[in-house]
Amino acid sequence: MGVKRALISVYDKRGIVEFARGLADLGVEIISTGGTYRALHGAGVPVREVAEVAGFPEILDGRVKTLQPQIHAGILAIRSNPRHMAQLAEHGVAPIDLVVVNLYPFRETVANPAVTLEEAVEQIDIGGPAMVRAAAKNWQDVGVVVNPDRYEAILAELRETGGLSLQTRFALMLEAFQHTAAYDGAIAGWLASRGRELVAARAPGQEAGDGASGGAASPFPDTLTLTFTKVQDLRYGENPHQVAAFYSDGTAGGTVIARARQLHGKELSYNNINDAHAALELVKEFDEPAAVAIKHANPCGVAVAPTIAEAFRRAYEADTVSIFGGIVALNRPCDRETAALLSKIFLEIVIAPDFEPEALQVLTRKKNLRLLAVGPIDRNPPAGFDLKRVGGGLLVQGWDAVQEDPASWKPVTAKAPTPEQLRDLAFAMKVCKHVKSNAIVVAKGGQTLGVGAGQMNRIDAARFALRQAGDAARGAVLASDAFFPFPDVVEAAGEAGIAAIAQPGGSIRDEESITRANELGIAMVFTGVRHFRH
């Protein structure tokens, strides 16, 4: 396919002048719109305005500029169809062989939490997607370029062969439809969530969509459109026989693993990324300096302290065995003292807001250790929903992002927790939120002593955590992610010397657990919030 005429209309003008100049040097006629025309004309690139070609000016503040028969007929005409070509000649329309378009920055606009509905709507591109889809549909005769990273390769192929191969045009078509699908998905997703909220705020008492549905609107749209961009292919999945890749949802802002910068070490694996996400989300729970050690997506050691080095030392001492080959997350920049401690053990990844130069000097001596910088910690949960794929469908829920206030917890025993015990219970429950159910956490002094994760019954989870804590359980606290169906966990806690317990409550046998706690002299509070994690 030769290229004699190109239409260029881009919001992102990276490299566009050089690309257009390269096309012009190959004898390609260029037509363009608005700001793109001015950029090309100002740079001395030969270019004609679309308004001149179409015989109709841009109107409605630029809302209508390429939505013209002269433009779309030139894109959509099938060159091998004599009737199409005769109609072009009859109406004086010249074919357009290359469409270079990228779209208004909707996703970037709505990343601003203060954006208005009107500002967002104005960034919904109409003419751009129409041209992209038209060119993609007619891919056998028209090339369509939506990605500035393609410019150099396109020019190289045109210079070498004088045209674009069938394989290139197909690849460009596929990329174009993926581009418009992601764009529309971002619009639909934002309107279904934040857009709905903005409309509801204008008409209190009536949610957006009530008129059509006759009832209160669900936070979940009837059609869920998800758009993700591939970051990288991975060597394999959870196991070597599984293929895998890593995708980003492209949302801006927030502290999430998808936007971490890798400063050192070998390529991340599927399990690395999954575990790193678990570590980061847990360390975000804490205001004070905190360190989290993760193994197989479960915390094996967590601690807070006045300094980040001390926090890591205590997290390591919480379980010196399981941390081997694990992942560590810090919520303060990694300094030289902390780096020296980290370097003494085998770790897969260290995650921190940043790494001081002296810390990097120490840690980069370990060739394979991956270092991830995530920037200043934002304690908010990731944007959007928590998703879990099942055969034939998708489970969707909000993130478990509740920030519990221990002052609101209900003491249910004769003995109430001391202020120090209440602080430890709050610490333990933050950890418990991030442990696979059934989950039990034993802690004291802002340090985990034992973690019982993923057991099929609660008493086994408690026995594991208490056995791991050993003698240190005396005077410590215990947190549970869900209620006690029987008083057996309270009894095990009493035998180990646990001083205080936090659990959601809500069992039909709550009174049995309360009675047993009173008999054993254990303080117990009901939090009212369950934290199952499957």
Side-chain angles (χ1 to χ4, degrees), residues 410 412 481-486 503-511 513-514 524-530:
K410 178 184 176 183
V412 293
D481 66 336
F483 63 60
F484 299 152
F486 305 101
Q503 56 131 322
S507 168
I508 59 174
R509 289 191 166 95
D510 274 346
E511 283 303 321
S513 293
I514 294 170
M524 187 160 66
V525 297
F526 283 1
T527 68
V529 180
R530 189 182 75 182

Side-chain angles (χ1 to χ4, degrees), residues 429-484:
M429 191 57 78
K430 286 179 179 180
V431 178
C432 214
K433 280 174 60 177
H434 297 265
V435 178
K436 296 295 177 70
S437 300
N438 288 312
I440 297 290
V441 173
V442 176
K444 186 176 183 180
Q447 179 189 36
T448 56
L449 303 175
V451 178
Q455 299 302 307
M456 286 67 73
N457 61 72
R458 193 157 300 279
I459 185 59
D460 277 350
R463 287 170 178 155
F464 186 93
L466 291 167
R467 184 170 66 250
Q468 188 181 40
D471 291 340
R474 298 205 167 276
V477 305
L478 180 149
S480 173
D481 66 336
F483 63 60
F484 299 152

Side-chain angles (χ1 to χ4, degrees), residues 30-33 36-38 40-42 45-49 52:
I30 298 171
I31 59 176
S32 190
T33 62
T36 307
Y37 169 82
R38 290 189 291 274
L40 299 181
H41 182 71
V45 177
V47 60
R48 296 176 64 195
E49 281 195 271
E52 176 190 346

Side-chain angles (χ1 to χ4, degrees), residues 175-229:
E175 187 171 34
F177 279 122
Q178 290 171 335
H179 186 64
T180 56
Y183 191 77
D184 285 339
I187 293 169
W190 186 85
L191 290 175
S193 55
R194 182 59 180 151
R196 189 197 301 271
E197 294 173 5
L198 292 174
V199 171
R202 297 180 179 182
Q206 182 179 7
E207 292 286 342
D210 281 0
S213 65
S218 164
F220 303 104
D222 292 336
T223 299
L224 180 62
T225 305
L226 303 173
T227 58
F228 292 82
T229 302

